[in-house]
């Protein structure tokens, strides 16, 4: 029987012991357990797992002590479950506290002995490929090349919650072909043309869009008039109204943006120019969303700078937001980037952003506040707020240096158009250590240099060189983290540090530290790590690690049901994700105590999320630290974040099971086994006829489900006052007529019941009491964060030989009331990180 199956029967302790027995032969010379230890298991286990009865095919009448790392790992799980009160099962005879203390002390002693014995031998070094994120970042940092060159890569699989796990990062022949395509793409972008592309700048105003809109409206009216006899009566009536409007306002018929003149708003005139500002009065209206496409066609990939000179009107002293959105307008393609600017008052200011654009891309400008449509009013009669635009501009492609960064990375001062064997050898010799992240021996260099001569037989010198460089970009030494198997290696440490903290290749200073050998010392690693943490690239680590650990990256994958949650929109979705990312970033950079993951007296909020939570006094789209009045708000700590509740819901109803599993796995580090494959999922009841508690009560009547759900469900019920989008609720939300959406209305359903019994910990009447119980598990939470970090950084799940080191780090961080920054620095300083 597997350990997971044993967990489902509440006999994990006994099963683990049977695993120990199963790994050794009776005739082997092993120590015998002390008498009091054997007596303990005889009293509490043997009745069901002895010579007369073997529940779950487990027999425990001989209990030798293991001397292998694998068995020591099992004993660690025994200890964990005894300490958590999961054994013996509730229905069986229970040991006294002194008895439990005696047995756990003995297990701790054995584990300490084993830890010394197995130290440095349990960490298996695995060959780990760069995942998609690491590959893209590496290319961007080396060559300043961006784009969709990884679109053909298969998705990186996750194991133990992360896509950095070596065992899951396979490499197929098909994927190797995609790497070759990517290499060719990168080189085509990185190698500069002989002539520098011209940098252009175009300035335009809303008057340009008005003239286009008016011309389109005239053509549309003429088309209707020409086909008037074929139109429906309703269309004919609308056409007559359009004719009347065109006759009354021949200059402005079809306009989209009013003109501001001497403090008043009026329709545009044909001779309006840039000395008068036009005004955005609604968020979006057909072609009323200005963009760069017809003003500046992107023909060269590269960096472009976009500006708007703008100010707010009719805004009642509240900021009005202007958004730039960069991307391809093709259907189904998501924007590449967006920037949001808060315009505070009526003083014109310049707002600018830079984007890496490709042919077909454009930048669109949107007012996020104000009326979403005309509401039966003319544009000049909208209630506000407005945004006045003095001008837009776009400039590019922009080159900070010429040749650009990628070209200089490849060739330095060598002219790639003047190719001979000497120059090719120099190019290969200078780029190889950069690509392979360590010094390269002469034999390896000679192979690439000889490859050039082979390619030269059928190619031009330029193409032969590109083929050599492409070959280097698909080399295992570039695509994989290189780790010598026998002893700590300074260059491997440099890569491990860089791909942890920057999610990318080491910089020159870090490679120089590796070359000097200083990275073999803990103090030097810590000093370099502190330097790297001060670099903005560390935000990649925070976003990637916390996004995968807490599943925040999944926000938006299961969107809220619009009939039940009409207030959910893309702005709220973005704010949900931003809150958790900003919260963890604040904790990291300020090194705040890790117990604040459980509860905090502050939150990271912007105006949209603060309104969602019912917190006053927060304006603007930027996230900022907000002190919480704990007497009025339940917010504080991860479990109050809307992102967590969104990713553990199905879009219509909350899931105590998913939330309970999230708490066990992500906070406590004790994930339950997967459900049996033949058990049906619970269907959401959006009519509110039954509560989720009632549905799960029936679900637990299935014998194979009951044992695990007794542990999982209470932790999820504790969070039931948070709905699908993280709002606090006292009653479930349901639809009055779920079968007819046009007539359905949102109504209050049954009251929420958030009480429960956390097995082995205590009972609670609601979320606040549950959070107090969780605070008592602070050491467990800190140990789990430490293991999650190690799993992410090392590319494998920590084994028994790693556990003592990780526990010592976690204990020190907890005792010092330190935070994630200290945790990262201590981990990088450890021998485990240097020699995994």
């Amino acid at each position: 029987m597997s350990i997971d199956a044993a967990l489902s029967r509440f006999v994990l302790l006994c099963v683990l012991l049977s695993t120990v027995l199963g790994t050794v032969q009776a005739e082997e010379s092993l120590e015998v357990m002390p008498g009091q230890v054997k007596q303990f298991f005889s009293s509490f286990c043997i009745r069901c797992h002895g010579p007369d009865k073997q529940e779950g095919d487990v027999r425990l009448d001989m209990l030798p002590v293991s001397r292998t790392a694998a068995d020591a790992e099992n004993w660690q799980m025994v200890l964990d479950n005894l300490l958590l009160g999961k054994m013996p099962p509730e229905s069986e005879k229970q040991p006294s506290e002194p008895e439990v203390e005696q047995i756990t002390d003995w297990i701790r002693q054995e584990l300490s002995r084993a830890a010394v014995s197995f130290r440095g031998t349990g960490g298996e070094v695995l060959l780990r490929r760069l995942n998609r994120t690491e590959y893209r970042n590496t290319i961007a940092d080396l060559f300043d090349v961006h784009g969709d060159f990884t679109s053909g890569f298969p998705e990186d699989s996750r194991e133990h919650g992360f896509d950095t796990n070596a065992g899951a990062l396979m490499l197929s022949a098909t994927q190797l072909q995609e790497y070759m395509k990517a290499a060719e793409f990168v080189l085509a972008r990185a190698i500069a043309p002989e002539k520098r592309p011209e940098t252009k700048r175009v300035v335009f105003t809303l008057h340009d869009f008005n003239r286009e809109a008016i011309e389109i409206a005239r053509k549309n009216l003429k088309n209707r008039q020409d086909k008037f006899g074929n139109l429906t009566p309703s269309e004919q009536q609308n056409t007559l109204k359009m004719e009347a409007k065109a006759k009354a306002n021949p200059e402005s018929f079809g306009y989209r943006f009013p003109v501001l003149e001497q403090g008043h708003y009026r329709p545009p005139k044909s001779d309006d120019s840039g000395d008068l500002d036009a005004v955005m009065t609604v968020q979006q209206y057909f072609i009323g969303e200005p963009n760069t496409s017809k003003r500046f066609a992107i023909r060269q990939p590269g960096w472009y700078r976009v500006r708007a000179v703008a100010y707010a009107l009719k805004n009642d002293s509240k900021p009005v937001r202007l958004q730039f959105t960069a991307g391809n307008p093709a259907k189904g393609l998501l924007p590449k980037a967006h920037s949001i600017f808060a315009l505070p008052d009526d003083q014109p200011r310049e707002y600018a952003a830079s984007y890496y654009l490709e042919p077909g891309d454009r930048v669109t400008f949107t007012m996020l506040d104000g009326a979403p449509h005309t509401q039966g009013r003319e544009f000049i009669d909208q209630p506000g707020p407005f945004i006045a635009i003095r001008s837009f501009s776009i400039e590019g492609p922009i080159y900070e240096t010429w040749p650009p960064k990628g070209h200089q990375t490849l060739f330095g001062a060598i002219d790639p158009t003047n190719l001979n064997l000497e120059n090719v050898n120099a190019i290969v010799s200078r780029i190889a250590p950069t690509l392979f992240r360590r010094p390269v021996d002469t034999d390896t260099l000679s192979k690439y240099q000889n490859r050039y001569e082979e390619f030269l037989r059928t190619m031009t010198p330029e193409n032969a060189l590109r083929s050599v460089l492409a070959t280097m970009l698909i080399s295992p030494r570039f695509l994989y983290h290189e780790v010598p198997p026998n002893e700590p290696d300074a260059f491997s440490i440099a890569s491990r540090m860089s791909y942890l903290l920057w999610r990318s290749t080491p910089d020159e200073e870090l490679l120089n530290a590796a070359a000097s050998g200083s990275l073999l010392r803990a103090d030097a690693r810590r000093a370099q790590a502190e330097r790297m943490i001060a670099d903005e690239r560390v935000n990649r680590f925070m976003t990637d690690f916390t996004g995968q650990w807490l599943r925040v990256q999944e926000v938006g994958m299961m969107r809220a049901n619009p009939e039940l949650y009409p207030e959910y929109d893309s702005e709220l979705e973005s704010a949900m994700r931003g809150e958790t990312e900003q919260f963890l970033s604040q904790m990291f950079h300020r090194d705040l105590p890790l117990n604040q993951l459980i509860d905090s007296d502050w939150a990271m909020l912007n105006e949209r999320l603060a309104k969602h939570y019912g917190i006053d006094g927060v304006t603007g789209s930027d996230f900022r630290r907000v002190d919480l009045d704990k007497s009025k708000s339940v917010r504080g700590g991860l479990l109050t974040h809307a992102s967590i509740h969104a990713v553990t819901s199905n879009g219509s109803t909350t899931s105590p099971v998913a939330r309970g599993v999230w708490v066990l796995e992500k906070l406590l580090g004790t994930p339950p086994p997967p459900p049996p494959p033949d058990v049906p999922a619970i269907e959401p009841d959006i009519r509110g006829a039954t509560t989720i508690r009632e549905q799960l009560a029936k679900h637990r009547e299935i014998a194979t489900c009951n044992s695990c759900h007794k542990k999982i469900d209470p932790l999820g019920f504790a969070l039931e006052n948070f709905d699908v989008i993280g709002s606090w609720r006292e009653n479930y939300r349901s639809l009055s007529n779920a079968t007819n959406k046009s007539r359905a209305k949102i109504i209050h359903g049954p009251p929420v019941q958030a009480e429960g019994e956390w097995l082995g910990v205590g009972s609670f009447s609601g979320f606040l009491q549950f959070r107090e119980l969780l605070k008592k598990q602070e050491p467990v939470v800190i140990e789990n964060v430490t293991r999650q970090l190690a799993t992410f950084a090392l590319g494998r799940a920590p084994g028994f030989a790693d556990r003592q080191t990780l526990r010592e780090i976690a204990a020190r961080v907890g005792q010092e009331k330190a935070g994630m920054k200290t945790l990262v620095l201590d981990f990088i300083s450890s021998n485990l990180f240097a020699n995994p």
Side-chain angles (χ1 to χ4, degrees):
M1 171 176 286
S2 69
I3 291 174
D4 285 347
L7 269 168
S8 71
R9 300 186 186 189
F10 284 93
V11 291
L12 175 61
L13 174 60
C14 300
V15 172
L16 291 175
L17 293 174
S18 72
T19 304
V20 173
L21 288 171
T23 59
V24 298
Q25 299 296 323
E27 63 268 24
E28 288 182 347
S29 176
L30 294 173
E31 291 180 306
V32 177
M33 284 184 178
Q36 69 271 24
V37 177
K38 295 183 69 174
Q39 181 60 44
F40 179 91
F41 291 115
S42 295
S43 300
F44 301 107
C45 293
I46 298 301
R47 186 177 68 83
C48 296
H49 304 281
D52 299 325
K53 183 180 179 182
Q54 299 89 38
E55 287 192 4
D57 297 325
V58 177
R59 181 175 177 177
L60 301 174
D61 51 338
M62 291 186 63
L63 300 175
V65 179
S66 171
R67 291 179 178 175
T68 69
D71 291 337
E73 181 68 36
N74 288 335
W75 277 107
Q76 180 63 57
M77 295 179 69
V78 170
L79 177 63
D80 291 344
N81 282 274
L82 278 171
L83 293 174
L84 290 172
K86 293 183 178 181
M87 277 299 299
E90 284 184 320
S91 59
E92 297 296 326
K93 178 184 176 182
Q94 297 295 308
S96 65
E97 287 189 13
E99 287 176 310
V100 172
E101 184 177 353
Q102 184 181 50
I103 195 72
T104 54
D105 284 347
W106 177 81
I107 295 175
R108 284 194 184 99
Q109 292 173 6
E110 289 301 312
L111 290 176
S112 296
R113 177 187 59 77
V116 174
S117 176
F118 302 139
R119 184 171 296 162
T121 64
E124 182 181 3
V125 176
L126 299 175
L127 193 61
R128 176 158 63 106
R129 174 176 58 80
L130 301 184
N131 63 24
R132 184 183 294 206
T133 298
E134 293 168 337
Y135 182 89
R136 280 199 302 260
N137 288 339
T138 299
I139 294 299
D141 289 348
L142 288 177
F143 305 112
D144 195 24
V145 169
H146 310 263
D148 60 355
F149 52 87
T150 63
S151 60
F153 292 8
E155 288 294 328
D156 294 319
S157 299
R158 293 188 184 184
E159 284 190 11
H160 306 290
F162 298 105
D163 63 7
T164 59
N165 190 280
L169 293 170
M170 302 300 166
L171 182 62
S172 65
T174 301
Q175 189 167 355
L176 194 59
Q177 292 177 346
E178 293 297 328
Y179 276 122
M180 192 65 198
K181 293 178 185 178
E184 292 169 351
F185 178 99
V186 169
L187 293 172
R189 292 280 179 94
I191 298 175
E194 291 188 34
K195 183 178 179 181
R196 176 174 179 160
E198 181 184 359
T199 297
K200 299 180 180 179
R201 183 172 184 265
V202 173
V203 180
F204 49 97
T205 69
L206 290 180
H207 300 301
D208 300 306
F209 295 98
N210 267 338
R211 284 187 279 271
E212 288 178 5
I214 291 169
E215 182 61 25
I216 290 173
R218 287 174 178 169
K219 289 181 179 179
N220 182 38
L221 176 57
K222 186 177 186 306
N223 183 54
R224 281 172 169 266
Q225 291 170 332
D226 293 342
K227 299 178 179 180
F228 190 82
N230 297 324
L231 299 179
T232 66
S234 176
E235 290 173 334
Q236 289 179 346
Q237 187 66 27
N238 288 334
T239 301
L240 293 175
K241 291 180 180 179
M242 292 171 65
E243 285 181 337
K245 287 185 176 182
K247 186 176 181 179
N249 302 286
E251 278 193 294
S252 60
F253 171 66
Y255 82 98
R256 294 292 178 260
F257 305 104
V259 173
L260 178 64
E261 185 174 22
Q262 295 181 351
H264 299 284
Y265 306 100
R266 62 163 175 81
K269 299 177 181 178
S270 57
D271 60 350
D272 284 337
S273 61
D275 59 339
L276 294 173
D277 299 334
V279 181
M280 302 172 72
T281 60
V282 293
Q283 291 181 18
Q284 299 178 40
Y285 189 78
F286 299 111
I287 61 166
E289 198 171 35
N291 62 74
T292 60
S293 59
K294 291 185 179 180
R295 278 105 232 117
F296 194 110
I298 305 297
R299 294 188 172 89
Q300 292 282 341
W303 288 98
Y304 291 78
R305 187 171 294 118
V306 184
R307 295 182 173 93
V309 178
Y311 53 96
L313 296 169
K314 297 182 71 172
N315 62 322
D316 295 328
S317 300
K318 296 180 181 179
V320 189
R321 294 168 300 160
L322 177 65
Q323 177 173 282
F324 297 1
T325 304
N328 192 309
K331 186 177 181 180
L333 295 180
L334 296 174
K336 292 181 176 178
H338 70 267
S339 305
I340 299 176
F341 305 97
L343 284 58
D345 51 38
D346 60 358
Q347 297 301 309
R349 295 179 177 85
E350 181 178 90
Y351 301 91
S354 295
Y355 304 107
Y356 191 93
L357 303 178
E358 300 179 70
D361 286 349
R362 72 182 187 187
V363 179
T364 301
F365 308 95
T366 308
M367 181 173 66
L368 295 180
D369 303 293
H373 51 78
T374 60
Q375 301 173 333
R377 304 184 184 191
E378 295 296 323
F379 288 115
I380 58 176
D381 296 326
Q382 292 296 319
F386 298 164
I387 291 179
I389 300 294
R390 184 149 295 175
S391 67
F392 295 117
S393 67
I394 179 170
E395 180 183 14
I398 295 171
Y399 301 98
E400 300 296 337
T401 61
W402 188 263
K405 179 179 180 179
H407 191 96
Q408 294 187 33
T409 298
L410 288 168
F411 308 122
I414 303 171
D415 183 2
T417 64
N418 180 25
L419 293 179
N420 52 49
L421 287 180
E422 182 180 354
N423 278 352
V424 169
N425 291 347
I427 290 169
V428 170
S429 297
R430 74 176 305 278
I431 192 60
T434 300
L435 295 181
F436 300 158
R437 304 179 281 275
R438 63 176 54 246
V440 181
D441 60 85
T442 55
D443 288 344
T444 301
L445 294 175
S446 295
K447 290 178 182 178
Y448 287 110
Q449 292 160 0
N450 294 337
R451 191 72 56 85
Y452 170 78
E453 297 184 62
E454 295 174 8
F455 288 141
L456 201 56
R457 296 170 188 167
T458 57
M459 300 179 183
T460 64
E462 291 80 6
N463 288 338
L465 176 59
R466 287 197 182 204
S467 296
V468 170
L469 295 173
T471 303
M472 299 175 78
L473 285 171
I474 63 169
S475 165
R477 300 187 70 176
F478 177 72
L479 296 178
Y480 280 81
H481 298 267
E482 188 172 349
V483 182
N486 297 323
E487 58 184 14
D489 173 78
F491 290 98
S492 296
I493 293 172
S495 287
R496 200 172 303 122
M497 290 177 65
S498 185
Y499 280 101
L500 170 62
L501 295 177
W502 288 346
R503 313 296 294 121
S504 185
T505 191
D507 65 357
E508 184 176 0
E509 182 171 344
L510 193 58
L511 289 175
N512 287 339
S516 71
S518 64
L519 291 184
L520 297 175
R521 302 196 323 267
D523 62 328
R525 292 198 299 277
R526 194 179 191 94
Q528 282 293 327
E530 288 176 339
R531 174 185 71 86
M532 297 171 72
I533 287 173
D535 190 289
E536 65 179 8
R537 282 173 286 186
V538 80
N539 292 326
R540 296 172 179 171
F541 157 68
M542 288 306 303
T543 300
D544 201 12
F545 172 60
T546 60
Q548 293 190 67
W549 163 36
L550 302 174
R551 294 178 50 201
V552 179
Q553 292 176 345
E554 299 174 28
V555 171
M557 292 178 64
M558 185 69 74
R559 294 195 166 188
N561 184 328
E563 280 75 40
L564 277 169
Y565 298 94
E567 67 268 42
Y568 183 86
D569 56 22
S570 59
E571 186 181 356
L572 178 59
E573 180 182 292
S574 177
M576 288 178 175
R577 190 163 41 244
E579 175 190 20
T580 307
E581 291 175 350
Q582 293 291 329
F583 180 81
L584 269 296
S585 179
Q586 183 84 177
M587 285 197 63
F588 178 75
H589 288 292
R590 296 183 62 178
D591 204 30
L592 300 177
L594 287 175
N595 59 14
Q596 295 190 24
L597 294 171
I598 302 172
D599 192 13
S600 63
D601 59 4
W602 59 277
M604 295 297 292
L605 304 174
N606 65 1
E607 183 175 359
R608 180 70 176 88
L609 198 62
K611 286 183 178 179
H612 183 63
Y613 289 163
I615 297 174
D616 298 326
V618 180
T619 59
S621 58
D622 293 336
F623 279 88
R624 78 293 311 269
R625 180 179 169 127
V626 176
D627 292 332
L628 299 172
D629 183 344
K630 300 293 280 187
S631 67
K632 297 180 180 179
S633 176
V634 301
R635 303 295 163 177
L638 287 175
L639 290 181
T640 66
H641 287 200
S643 63
I644 305 306
H645 302 298
V647 300
T648 54
S649 302
N650 62 20
S652 294
T653 58
T654 53
S655 173
V657 177
R659 289 178 173 178
V661 169
W662 190 96
V663 173
L664 287 170
E665 183 178 277
K666 302 302 182 182
L667 278 187
L668 301 174
T670 56
D678 56 344
V679 176
I682 297 175
E683 294 296 326
D685 177 10
I686 61 175
R687 296 172 301 172
T690 58
T691 66
I692 188 66
R693 185 180 286 268
E694 292 168 338
Q695 294 177 66
L696 283 172
K698 292 183 178 180
H699 192 69
R700 286 197 296 273
E701 292 176 2
I702 303 173
T704 55
C705 300
N706 181 54
S707 59
C708 286
H709 278 275
K710 289 174 66 177
K711 303 172 187 176
I712 298 170
D713 296 355
L715 278 63
F717 286 135
L719 308 180
E720 273 296 273
N721 282 112
F722 298 98
D723 66 17
V724 166
I725 56 176
S727 298
W728 184 265
R729 64 185 177 188
E730 299 295 341
N731 291 77
Y732 289 99
R733 188 182 295 196
S734 57
L735 293 178
S736 61
N737 191 338
T739 58
N740 189 334
K741 293 183 179 179
S742 63
R743 296 183 179 180
K745 294 182 179 179
I746 298 174
I747 60 174
H748 282 307
V752 172
Q753 295 175 287
E755 70 277 0
E757 174 71 27
W758 186 355
L759 289 178
V761 180
S763 60
F764 53 88
S765 61
F767 172 70
L768 295 180
Q769 284 190 1
F770 171 76
R771 188 163 59 184
E772 291 304 311
L773 292 178
L774 189 59
K775 290 179 182 179
K776 298 177 182 179
Q777 302 296 316
E778 177 186 333
V780 177
V781 173
I782 296 176
E783 280 196 27
N784 174 56
V785 177
T786 308
R787 285 195 301 272
Q788 298 281 359
L789 173 66
T791 303
F792 182 78
L794 301 180
R796 61 172 176 82
F800 172 76
D802 311 319
R803 189 181 290 264
Q804 187 68 21
T805 297
L806 297 179
R807 181 178 287 112
E808 290 170 357
I809 293 173
R812 186 164 57 249
V813 169
Q815 290 167 2
E816 296 174 358
K817 297 298 180 184
M820 193 172 293
K821 180 179 177 181
T822 294
L823 176 63
V824 170
L825 292 172
D826 284 0
F827 177 63
I828 289 174
S829 303
S830 70
N831 290 330
L832 171 59
F833 184 84
N835 190 24

